[in-house]
Amino acid sequence: MRLDRYYSEIKKRYGIVTRARGPFLYTQKNVRLTDLCQEGGRAILGWDAAAYTVFKNILSKGLAGSFETAHFGRLQKAASDLFQSPRKIFLFSSKKAAMEAALLLDANSASVYKPFNGVDYSAVKNVVYAPPLPWTNNFWILAARDFGQETAQKGAALSGQESVPISGESFPPALLAAAARATYDLIAALKARQEKEFFIYDKVLTKFFERRACWLRPKIPQEKYDDFLLACLDAGVVVNPDYNSDSLVPYGADNGVLKKMGEINV
């Protein structure tokens, strides 16, 4: 289902979303929706993430320009801590551009990061990841390891310059600071969130999804998926409208919020 139509269906039933907290969306008609979409994982830390406060505080200092600040270095340190190895970061406005750069550096060791999937990303030389910030769909980070002379020469080809390695794009300091905080919050979540806190929703969710850690892959036939989306909305649950993208468990919510969803027959 197209995203605009899906949002239209939410509005038709419940009005616009007026507030969001944790794994919940609160609507104009005073209905609380349980969010399993979570912006495809960008809101995996919840809709009231601490990074929002960091963003606001940096803006209050007037740091909204393209000038150099300390926040790029802090984000680079956060990426190094996330992947448990020294990293050099490059910023891009699209996943495609970031992945093309990663493959250029080393086509044999490049990957898109997905938290909680059991992969040791410290062994991957070039990792593309989306910071867990819901409003940043056009913000991607390439965290490159082993950025030596040979790699720099490959990076020069990408940038079209002879002496300069990969040239990423520029983003406002407030966004860099918020992304750094979100990355550290994700590191904490990776340690705190356990399988036992994911499988409590299985009684309902595994009827419709294959679950791996917090990630939910539809096992409903694709031709029935639009009907399933609408039935979930009627049950007060928002799932990912893209059949080929994962939904997520509503971490932190009482599993009773999925009771009506469990009554769906597709």
Side-chain angles (χ1 to χ4, degrees), residues 71-91 113 120-129 131 141-147 176 179-188 190-191:
H71 299 294
F72 181 89
R74 290 169 182 166
L75 178 55
Q76 185 161 266
K77 177 63 166 57
S80 298
D81 290 346
L82 176 62
F83 300 121
Q84 300 178 356
S85 54
R87 300 279 169 164
K88 186 176 180 66
I89 64 168
F90 305 91
L91 311 178
Y113 177 64
D120 178 12
Y121 287 95
S122 66
V124 181
K125 289 184 179 180
N126 304 295
V127 183
V128 172
Y129 86 101
I141 300 169
L142 166 58
R145 183 167 63 83
D146 296 336
F147 204 82
L176 304 184
R181 174 56 191 267
T183 300
Y184 280 118
D185 288 345
L186 178 59
I187 292 171
L190 290 168
K191 297 175 181 177

Side-chain angles (χ1 to χ4, degrees), residues 51-225:
Y52 300 161
T53 301
V54 172
F55 187 87
K56 177 182 177 181
N57 289 343
I58 299 301
L59 279 182
S60 72
K61 297 179 180 181
L63 295 181
S66 57
F67 34 74
E68 183 176 350
T69 68
H71 299 294
F72 181 89
R74 290 169 182 166
L75 178 55
Q76 185 161 266
K77 177 63 166 57
S80 298
D81 290 346
L82 176 62
F83 300 121
Q84 300 178 356
S85 54
R87 300 279 169 164
K88 186 176 180 66
I89 64 168
F90 305 91
L91 311 178
F92 298 91
S93 57
S94 75
K95 180 180 179 180
K96 181 177 181 290
M99 199 61 204
E100 285 176 349
L103 291 170
L104 179 65
L105 293 178
D106 192 333
N108 296 316
S109 190
S111 178
V112 176
Y113 177 64
K114 190 174 186 178
F116 299 101
N117 74 345
V119 174
D120 178 12
Y121 287 95
S122 66
V124 181
K125 289 184 179 180
N126 304 295
V127 183
V128 172
Y129 86 101
L133 292 171
W135 75 85
T136 56
N137 290 340
N138 295 321
F139 184 52
W140 292 84
I141 300 169
L142 166 58
R145 183 167 63 83
D146 296 336
F147 204 82
Q149 182 61 36
E150 181 181 352
T151 304
Q153 291 173 355
K154 292 180 180 178
L158 180 67
S159 66
Q161 302 179 53
E162 294 183 0
S163 59
V164 180
I166 290 178
S167 179
E169 300 172 44
S170 177
F171 290 87
L175 179 56
L176 304 184
R181 174 56 191 267
T183 300
Y184 280 118
D185 288 345
L186 178 59
I187 292 171
L190 290 168
K191 297 175 181 177
R193 299 184 184 187
Q194 305 294 323
E195 172 66 15
K196 64 183 180 180
E197 295 163 310
F198 298 143
F199 76 58
I200 61 172
Y201 309 101
D202 278 2
K203 184 176 180 181
V204 173
L205 294 180
T206 55
K207 179 180 177 182
F208 311 108
F209 300 97
E210 297 286 348
R211 182 181 66 79
R212 182 173 181 179
C214 58
W215 300 97
L216 304 170
R217 174 67 61 174
K219 61 183 183 183
I220 297 166
Q222 187 167 3
E223 62 271 17
K224 294 184 178 181
Y225 194 64

